[in-house]
Amino acid sequence: MEYRGQRRRRHWCIALPFLLLLYFGQHVLAQIRYTIPEEAKEGYSVGNVAKDLGLDVSTLSERQFRIVSGSEDARFQVNQNNGGLYVLRKIDREELCDGGLTCIVNLKIVVENPLEIHYVAVEITDVNDHSPVFPESEQNLEIAENTAPGEEFQLHPARDPDHGQNSVRYYKLSQSNHFQLELRDNGDDTKMPFLKLRSGLDREHQSKHHLMLTAIDGGNPPRSGSMNLTIVVLDNNDNRPLFEKDAYSVTIPENIAIKSLVLKVNATDLDEGLNGEVVYSFVKSLKRKVYDTFDLDKDTGEIYIKGNVDFEDTEMYRADITASDKGQPPKTTNCKVVIKIADVNDNKPEIDVTSLSNVVPEDSKPGTVIFLISISDKDSADNGKVRCSLSDGLPFELKPSFTDNMYSLVTKSALDREQKSSYEITITATDAGQPQLSTVKSLTVEISDVNDNHPEFPHNPLELYLLENNAPGASILSVSANDRDLNENAAVTYQIVRGNGTQNDMTSFLNINSENGHIHALKSFDFEIVKTFQFQVVATDSGTPPLSSNVTVKVYILDQNDNAPVILYPKSANGSAEGVEEIPRNVNSGHLVTKVRAYDADVGYNGWLLFSVQEVTDHTLFGLDRYTGQIRTLRSFTETDEPRHRLVILVKDNGNVSLSATATIIVKSVEPKEAFAAADVKNAVSDEEDSSVTFYLIITLGSVSVLFLISIIVLIAMQCSKSTDYSSKYLQDTNYDGTLCHSIQYRSGDKRYMLVGPRMSIGSTIVPGSNGNTLVVPNRGRRPSEEPKAPNADWRYSASLRAGMQSSVHMEESSVMQGAQGVLVQNWPTVSSAADGEGGEVSPPVGAGVDSNSWHFRYGPQGPQHLKPGEMPPEAFIIPGSPAIISIRQGQDGDDKGDFITFGKKEEAKKKKKKKKEKKDKREKGKDDDD
């Protein structure tokens, strides 16, 4: 009974994980349960698994819907067309589960894309298909006639392979006046029959009794089995053997050696002789495994190991031993023996791997399930606890389930097939027993290719140097791109990126082989037409989606010497390179007769021209410069020289294969007058040829000149009409260099002044009180009472004035440049020469870019000067290249008169000369006075 209870608990422990809903990573584990009766025939429908799991029936075949369990599951199969689960062969519950409390077959059903595993439990229910069976058809009992009523004799129990209600429920004994049937509980839900003596026996009256024992199960309808009982009445045997214990118990380790002693039972009989000799035997109603595993010495009562003892097969054995004397009739007694098996760590862990495919795409995300791994150990307790580990350095990990010993192998990091295409994974399962046992299982994971690499060109851009005049249709270049992917993902095709079809688009003259990348030119390129161009080639793989990359091809056309020199001069009317030159006979040596001009469309050495004389009438008379093509006389003409000379000039380039052209020059020596007349005729012809060009040139120059003159006139008119008013003292230029650079106008008293400042040297000074280069203009429009203030002695010039004067002056505050109407326009650096509270005006310097007729500077605290009616401002006109100053004085009647014009250094020299003369006169006069 205890043994059967342990077996039931073990079945429940096995079935429990499959009653739970498990989840691993990205796949779903589900469990459903079906119940079918045993003895179901082949093709019996268990249930529709796909429908119960909510799977799409139309995709079952594509997703490889199937069972992946062990050999015992070969009793079932699934139909990929409808998702049904069917019985593959007849199922016998007694064969499958050996009389266990429950009989469950666990199936693992897997579908791909995405990976899903579903657990299906099929419970096999018992059917009353077996009748109770006794170990023997007849049992013989020998009972002494003097046996007291109430004595019990054990009978053979019947066994029924069915389970539960279908097993043996009760026994029935045929009618007898001396015997009755007693049933006792055997401890494992079975009944043990005993024959009990009701009344005394009389051997002389009846020496044998014949009875029938019937065992009946609880099935519907019930089944039964019978055994005949023969009871022989013997003479007296007073004592029966007695065991030391009614029950013996022992624990032995599994895998104990054969013939090892397990236990010794001992029974004694008080009788003497044969009646006191005891023999031992197993009762005949035990399980077959007891007889196969153990052996009983009938004389000593020692139990030995006969067969293999395995804890994982049977955890406990129960046996009944009978002790019988040799008396007549023999008397017997029974005892119970319980042999428990202790677990030994003798089983290595088992690794069960469920995988539909060991190929994983390289773009799988972390957490993608690759394998489902189940670890089991037949041992119990610590011997059955297993720890699972994975080899290091791999992009994979074991993800445990909440159910013990269930794992999923998932990706831990990103995969790259181009770096590593396969992995050898070693899974190690180690139990916790002593000593530890482990199992190693190697798995291979192949990484499948995904189109994740663009085609790559080894160089970008590519440069192609192509000789001109290439053969049309010939291959000029081959491009190649490498794709690190595999198969169709690495199959690269090529195409040229076409342009917009314009004149500069060369792609229309190119063709590419899409398979091997050979580029062909459909035309011959000419360096003189196109020297360089570029285009792009696209390499595209055949993956899904396709990936591509570009390469720029820069084509440089190399020049070949395919153009002969072209004579530009001389050129005759009919286009031939022949010309006639006439020179006077009196020219000297080195006279330029003419120059041969030629052009070569090639470049470099191919276009470098050299001139040589191929034919000449007189080698001593003319010479040719081989680089310039100039023909000059080597000597003067003599009376003996011919009047007509013919020169053939050869012009050739410097190509590997030189090309050349010739020009013929006819040189005629004529008298000088004739030569001049011929030159005039040539000039006339040339003038006629260039008349149209000259006409347009004259018109253009005339228009520019007229516009310039108009601008000068307008400038002078605006300068004359400008009003200026200055207040300052006399200034003197001590370092005059003859170049007029700027002018300053000022007023003092009743006179107006114009200071003409020549270019000054660095460090020069302006001395007040000097009237050098100063024009004095009387101001008739000013009242005598208006006296100007004395100017400040501290002169400081602006940047623009300093550029002209080149003197040691300093910058001061900016002034305000105003237009004629006093509108503020721009700040300018100014010259300050006024004392505090006085004002002054100064004209812009020459070259400052300011029109003096429309602008004037105002500096100092006073406001702008306003002319009174009838007043005209003084003006100074500067003549470029000369220090001449023109000052206009206004007369009483308003007529303008030019008093004088002073010319720079000449006027100054005259003054100095005049002063010297005056001093000399004074000295002479003094001498005369002394005399």
Side-chain angles (χ1 to χ4, degrees):
M1 297 294 290
E2 182 180 357
Y3 165 74
R4 292 193 176 184
Q6 291 183 356
R7 294 290 296 179
R8 288 195 296 271
R9 288 193 296 271
R10 185 180 179 191
H11 281 293
W12 274 110
C13 292
I14 295 175
L16 181 59
F18 302 103
L19 303 178
L20 302 175
L21 183 63
L22 305 178
Y23 295 94
F24 287 97
Q26 296 180 347
H27 69 287
V28 179
L29 296 178
Q31 192 270 342
I32 56 176
R33 182 164 179 163
Y34 298 102
T35 301
I36 64 170
E38 67 171 328
E39 304 296 332
K41 296 181 180 181
E42 180 180 351
Y44 180 87
S45 176
V46 179
N48 194 305
V49 178
K51 180 179 180 181
D52 295 336
L53 293 176
L55 302 177
D56 186 0
V57 177
S58 61
T59 62
L60 294 180
S61 178
E62 180 182 353
R63 298 183 64 184
Q64 298 186 17
F65 176 69
R66 59 181 180 179
I67 297 174
V68 293
S69 300
S71 60
E72 66 175 3
D73 302 327
R75 295 175 174 84
F76 299 92
Q77 66 177 359
V78 292
N79 189 323
Q80 292 185 349
N81 296 324
N82 56 20
L85 178 64
Y86 297 92
V87 174
L88 182 60
R89 61 187 179 87
K90 184 178 179 181
I91 298 175
D92 187 355
R93 185 181 185 279
E94 290 72 33
E95 176 188 355
L96 183 63
C97 299
D98 193 19
L101 179 63
T102 58
C103 185
I104 296 177
V105 177
N106 296 291
L107 307 176
K108 284 191 291 186
I109 298 179
V110 178
V111 289
E112 294 184 34
N113 301 322
L115 178 61
E116 297 179 7
I117 182 168
H118 303 277
Y119 286 89
V120 176
V122 180
E123 181 181 3
I124 311 299
T125 60
D126 185 47
V127 173
N128 192 21
D129 55 344
H130 294 87
S131 299
V133 177
F134 288 93
E136 295 177 351
S137 60
E138 183 178 358
Q139 183 177 359
N140 296 318
L141 294 176
E142 292 179 346
I143 303 174
E145 61 178 337
N146 60 349
T147 302
E151 187 76 20
E152 292 181 351
F153 303 92
Q154 184 176 345
L155 303 177
H156 297 323
R159 293 186 58 82
D160 193 331
D162 294 328
H163 175 70
Q165 190 67 25
N166 296 327
S167 63
V168 177
R169 305 309 298 172
Y170 60 95
Y171 293 87
K172 185 172 65 172
L173 187 63
S174 60
Q175 185 67 32
S176 174
N177 295 326
H178 298 279
F179 301 95
Q180 67 179 19
L181 184 64
E182 292 286 341
L183 297 178
R184 294 180 185 178
D185 192 358
N186 197 31
D188 56 355
D189 292 339
T190 60
K191 303 293 184 179
M192 183 65 69
F194 287 86
L195 185 65
K196 186 177 182 181
L197 183 61
R198 295 174 60 184
S199 61
L201 299 175
D202 187 357
R203 180 178 179 276
E204 289 74 15
H205 182 267
Q206 186 176 356
S207 62
K208 287 186 179 180
H209 298 269
H210 296 280
L211 302 175
M212 180 176 286
L213 179 64
T214 303
I216 303 171
D217 63 23
N220 187 17
R223 289 175 176 263
S224 62
S226 300
M227 179 180 66
N228 295 321
L229 294 177
T230 301
I231 302 158
V232 178
V233 181
L234 300 177
D235 288 336
N236 293 331
N237 184 9
D238 297 334
N239 297 293
R240 66 177 60 248
L242 296 177
F243 282 98
E244 294 177 351
K245 299 179 183 178
D246 292 335
Y248 290 85
S249 178
V250 67
T251 300
I252 61 174
E254 65 174 326
N255 301 327
I256 188 172
I258 304 297
K259 296 184 179 181
S260 297
L261 178 63
V262 178
L263 178 67
K264 180 179 180 180
V265 296
N266 186 34
T268 60
D269 195 322
L270 297 178
D271 294 329
E272 292 182 356
L274 292 177
N275 292 335
E277 293 182 6
V278 179
V279 293
Y280 304 91
S281 65
F282 288 117
V283 298
K284 296 183 179 180
S285 61
L286 299 180
K287 291 184 178 180
R288 188 64 191 171
K289 280 186 179 180
V290 177
Y291 302 119
D292 295 337
T293 307
F294 302 100
D295 192 11
L296 177 63
D297 190 322
K298 65 178 183 178
D299 296 324
T300 63
E302 293 176 342
I303 301 174
Y304 294 93
I305 299 297
K306 178 182 179 181
N308 183 35
V309 177
D310 190 356
F311 172 85
E312 289 72 37
D313 183 31
T314 304
E315 299 177 7
M316 184 171 56
Y317 294 88
R318 297 176 184 273
D320 291 331
I321 297 177
T322 301
S324 175
D325 59 23
K326 297 181 179 180
Q328 290 297 326
K331 288 191 174 183
T332 62
T333 186
N334 293 338
C335 73
K336 293 183 179 294
V337 176
V338 176
I339 303 175
K340 297 180 180 179
I341 310 301
D343 185 36
V344 175
N345 191 24
D346 60 339
N347 291 280
K348 292 183 178 181
E350 296 179 358
I351 302 175
D352 181 27
V353 178
T354 300
S355 174
L356 297 179
S357 174
N358 64 339
V359 179
V360 182
E362 62 177 320
D363 62 346
S364 299
K365 297 180 180 179
T368 301
V369 177
I370 304 174
F371 296 112
L372 299 178
I373 300 172
S374 175
I375 309 296
S376 61
D377 195 320
K378 295 180 180 180
D379 297 323
S380 62
D382 290 341
N383 296 330
K385 293 181 180 179
V386 182
R387 177 175 54 86
C388 191
S389 62
L390 196 67
S391 51
D392 298 331
L394 297 176
F396 307 98
E397 63 179 348
L398 287 175
K399 186 176 181 182
S401 169
F402 59 85
T403 301
D404 291 341
N405 299 335
M406 294 291 293
Y407 300 89
S408 58
L409 181 68
V410 300
T411 56
K412 181 174 63 175
S413 58
L415 304 175
D416 190 351
R417 189 208 61 81
E418 287 70 35
Q419 293 184 359
K420 194 167 185 179
S421 60
S422 65
Y423 293 89
E424 290 293 332
I425 301 175
T426 301
I427 300 175
T428 304
T430 305
D431 61 25
Q434 292 296 332
Q436 291 184 339
L437 299 178
S438 61
T439 301
V440 177
K441 192 176 186 67
S442 296
L443 303 175
T444 301
V445 177
E446 300 290 339
I447 309 301
S448 63
D449 186 48
V450 173
N451 192 25
D452 58 345
N453 289 280
H454 293 262
E456 295 179 357
F457 290 93
H459 302 286
N460 192 1
L462 296 176
E463 294 183 350
L464 171 63
Y465 295 90
L466 178 65
L467 288 172
E468 64 174 332
N469 304 321
N470 56 292
S475 176
I476 61 174
L477 178 66
S478 178
V479 297
S480 177
N482 296 322
D483 196 316
R484 295 191 296 166
D485 295 322
L486 290 178
N487 302 327
E488 68 275 1
N489 295 332
V492 180
T493 58
Y494 304 90
Q495 61 178 354
I496 295 177
V497 178
R498 302 297 178 181
N500 51 13
T502 59
Q503 184 177 1
N504 296 327
D505 182 21
M506 294 290 112
T507 58
S508 58
F509 303 107
L510 301 174
N511 190 21
I512 188 170
N513 188 316
S514 62
E515 299 298 329
N516 54 30
H518 293 326
I519 301 175
H520 302 268
L522 304 180
K523 62 169 289 186
S524 179
F525 295 104
D526 190 352
F527 174 82
E528 288 71 37
I529 297 176
V530 56
K531 294 178 174 56
T532 180
F533 64 91
Q534 66 181 24
F535 60 93
Q536 284 190 332
V537 177
V538 179
T540 306
D541 59 29
S542 302
T544 303
L547 301 178
S548 62
S549 60
N550 296 355
V551 64
T552 300
V553 181
K554 296 182 179 180
V555 181
Y556 299 94
I557 308 300
L558 301 180
D559 184 41
Q560 284 186 319
N561 192 22
D562 58 343
N563 291 279
V566 177
I567 305 298
L568 300 179
Y569 182 82
K571 275 288 186 183
S572 60
N574 58 4
S576 61
E578 184 175 347
V580 178
E581 299 290 340
E582 294 183 353
I583 60 174
R585 292 183 62 86
N586 60 351
V587 296
N588 296 325
S589 174
H591 176 74
L592 178 63
V593 178
T594 187
K595 180 178 180 180
V596 177
R597 294 179 177 86
Y599 166 75
D600 195 320
D602 297 322
V603 297
Y605 284 99
N606 297 329
W608 184 19
L609 301 181
L610 294 178
F611 301 85
S612 61
V613 178
Q614 189 175 18
E615 296 181 13
V616 63
T617 305
D618 189 348
H619 291 281
T620 64
L621 185 57
F622 299 101
L624 174 66
D625 190 310
R626 66 176 302 185
Y627 299 109
T628 63
Q630 293 180 351
I631 301 175
R632 295 181 182 272
T633 58
L634 298 178
R635 59 178 175 79
S636 301
F637 283 90
T638 63
E639 295 297 333
T640 60
D641 291 330
E642 295 291 334
R644 184 177 183 276
H645 299 270
R646 182 175 181 271
L647 289 82
V648 178
I649 308 302
L650 175 66
V651 183
K652 66 177 182 179
D653 56 31
N654 279 269
N656 291 332
V657 179
S658 297
L659 301 178
S660 61
T662 58
T664 302
I665 305 295
I666 304 298
V667 181
K668 295 180 179 180
S669 59
V670 297
E671 297 300 327
K673 293 182 180 180
E674 296 178 1
F676 294 150
D680 292 339
V681 172
K682 290 183 179 179
N683 292 337
V685 174
S686 177
D687 290 342
E688 289 179 0
E689 293 176 353
D690 299 337
S691 60
S692 59
V693 177
T694 304
F695 175 73
Y696 291 115
L697 181 61
I698 291 173
I699 292 177
T700 303
L701 293 177
S703 301
V704 172
S705 301
V706 170
L707 292 175
F708 177 73
L709 291 175
I710 293 174
S711 301
I712 294 297
I713 294 173
V714 171
L715 179 64
I716 294 173
M718 294 180 68
Q719 184 71 18
C720 292
S721 62
K722 181 179 179 183
S723 173
T724 58
D725 192 5
Y726 299 88
S727 296
S728 180
K729 286 189 175 184
Y730 295 98
L731 299 176
Q732 182 179 9
D733 183 7
T734 61
N735 296 315
Y736 175 71
D737 62 356
T739 303
L740 183 61
C741 185
H742 65 276
S743 64
I744 301 176
Q745 300 181 23
Y746 62 93
R747 179 185 297 126
S748 178
D750 58 350
K751 295 182 180 181
R752 287 180 295 173
Y753 301 90
M754 176 179 293
L755 173 64
V756 179
R759 184 179 304 276
M760 298 181 181
S761 302
I762 300 298
S764 63
T765 59
I766 300 175
V767 181
S770 174
N771 60 353
N773 292 326
T774 303
L775 300 184
V776 180
V777 183
N779 184 7
R780 296 181 179 84
R782 185 179 180 88
R783 293 192 299 270
S785 60
E786 298 178 353
E787 295 297 333
K789 295 182 181 181
N792 194 331
D794 184 13
W795 280 79
R796 283 173 288 180
Y797 289 83
S798 65
S800 57
L801 291 178
R802 186 173 65 249
M805 296 181 66
Q806 298 294 326
S807 60
S808 57
V809 296
H810 307 282
M811 294 298 298
E812 200 176 17
E813 69 278 1
S814 298
S815 67
V816 180
M817 185 173 74
Q818 293 184 341
Q821 301 301 324
V823 180
L824 178 63
V825 177
Q826 184 176 355
N827 291 338
W828 280 67
T830 64
V831 176
S832 175
S833 62
D836 296 338
E838 70 174 333
E841 296 180 353
V842 63
S843 299
V846 176
V850 180
D851 187 354
S852 61
N853 292 310
S854 58
W855 303 92
H856 68 273
F857 290 97
R858 175 174 59 82
Y859 66 94
Q862 68 179 14
Q865 296 291 329
H866 298 283
L867 297 178
K868 296 181 180 180
E871 279 190 329
M872 290 189 63
E875 301 294 341
F877 298 92
I878 301 171
I879 302 174
S882 172
I885 302 124
I886 301 175
S887 178
I888 303 176
R889 296 182 180 177
Q890 187 174 14
Q892 295 289 340
D893 299 332
D895 55 340
D896 294 338
K897 297 180 179 181
D899 281 358
F900 56 86
I901 301 176
T902 305
F903 292 93
K905 291 185 177 181
K906 291 182 179 181
E907 184 65 20
E908 185 177 6
K910 289 180 180 180
K911 290 181 179 181
K912 291 182 179 179
K913 187 176 181 181
K914 185 177 180 180
K915 288 181 179 179
K916 290 180 180 180
K917 186 176 181 180
E918 290 177 354
K919 290 180 180 181
K920 185 176 181 182
D921 292 340
K922 287 181 180 181
R923 287 197 299 268
E924 291 177 355
K925 186 177 180 180
K927 290 180 179 181
D928 293 340
D929 293 338
D930 292 338
D931 294 340

